[in-house]
Amino acid sequence: MLHSPSESGFPNTRLRRLRYHAGLRALVRETTLSPANLILPLFVRPGKNIRQPIASMPGQFQLSLDQLAIEAKEAQSLGIAGVILFGIPAEKDVAGSDSYCDTGIVQQAVKVVKEAAPGLLVVTDVCFCEYTSHGHCGVLEERNGVQDVANDPTLEMLGKQAVSHARAGADLVAPSGMMDGMVGAIRYALDHAGFTHLPLMSYAAKYSSAFYGPFRDAAESAPQFGDRRTYQMDPAAAAGQALREVELDLREGADLIMVKPALAYLDIIRDVRENFPGVPLAAYNVSGEYSLVKAAAANGWVDERTLALEMLTAIRRAGASIILTYWAKDVARWLQ
Ligand code: PBG
């Protein structure tokens, strides 16, 4: 058996030879993971000296501006590429007006981070769900007796919000509301306000996912009625729909593309990577993906560090160059 020549390769070919030495394993490893690939999501709220633990996301906090400054400095010193900011306003209203107010919570947060950690890329999430009393991602309208987000009236508001983020000093705006035409509307608004240079990362293929559960707790942004299925994508939709979303966003002027969530959607990440090879691709390792591991690790059922690194490596291997992850600081320390 051992000596019979075989067309299938064995015994001449033994793939384990590449695995015996740690140095050789590292040499033939093609996927890398570094803090420079990562963006850390942060939640900011009004107040002073607040570091309010988020129960459903152990290790994550709602931060007041002073605490945000500390967090931003730490992220910068760990070599993390950037932060994405989510605001929890003092007051929510029907229009989500804090989101486009120049003294709104996120606008203040942008200034604080720019000042505390000038080397960090400051990304803003452009959406309404954290700011509206109803928790939906835009302006409501009634259709056939049912309340839903009105697409086109929301576009103008998104433009307004993005421009106020730009005025505050954001480096990259990231619309996440899945409105048709949102990228074009924001691009138009930014350009007309003098921000032609400001890049835009679109949450292009964003699925209506139960993996966002802990985030809605963290950002206090759960919809007060219904769900987001009339705007976020159906998890069972064929991959072609994601490609259409990406293509449209690129035509409207998106500079970077995001797929979200990440782990249950690695096929989508791969499809986007293969179909749009030159486009910078991000994936959002969302709250549920984080909290599941945290809960299992707290029970001693999994090893958090090994599992988190494996998951993030898989997202990179699928084709995402950028990962938004709540583990960003841990990864930086683990890899040191
Ligand atoms: C919308 C937004 C959401 C997330 C990022 N941006 C929530 C939603 O669509 O309900 C979820 C991120 C996560 O789960 O970590 N502003």
Side-chain angles (χ1 to χ4, degrees), residues 125 129-130 176 206 212 215-216 228 232 260 287 326:
D125 182 83
C129 57
E130 297 123 62
S176 64
K206 175 174 176 179
Y212 309 150
F215 173 96
R216 291 176 186 174
R228 304 209 202 290
Q232 300 180 349
K260 176 187 173 196
S287 57
Y326 303 98

Side-chain angles (χ1 to χ4, degrees), residues 207 233-238 265:
Y207 290 83
M233 290 174 68
D234 185 334
Y265 298 84

Side-chain angles (χ1 to χ4, degrees), residues 4 7 16 85 92 130 146 198 207 266 334-335:
S4 66
E7 301 218 334
R16 287 187 63 195
L85 301 173
K92 302 183 191 240
E130 297 123 62
V146 179
L198 197 78
Y207 290 83
L266 294 177
W334 291 332
L335 298 179

Side-chain angles (χ1 to χ4, degrees), residues 96-174:
S97 56
D98 191 83
S99 72
Y100 50 85
C101 169
D102 283 342
T103 54
I105 184 67
V106 147
Q107 289 77 0
Q108 294 181 55
V110 167
K111 289 180 189 147
V112 164
V113 175
K114 291 307 293 177
E115 163 116 23
L120 274 186
L121 184 79
V122 179
V123 188
T124 55
D125 182 83
V126 180
C127 194
F128 286 98
C129 57
E130 297 123 62
Y131 305 92
T132 49
S133 43
H134 45 75
H136 278 284
C137 302
V139 181
L140 294 184
E141 70 180 359
E142 200 177 296
R143 227 177 310 116
N144 304 326
V146 179
Q147 296 261 51
D148 195 2
V149 178
N151 197 86
D152 297 10
T154 298
L155 297 182
E156 198 184 325
M157 304 303 287
L158 285 169
K160 221 168 141 175
Q161 186 184 136
V163 167
S164 87
H165 292 175
R167 274 202 295 263
D171 299 310
L172 175 63
V173 293

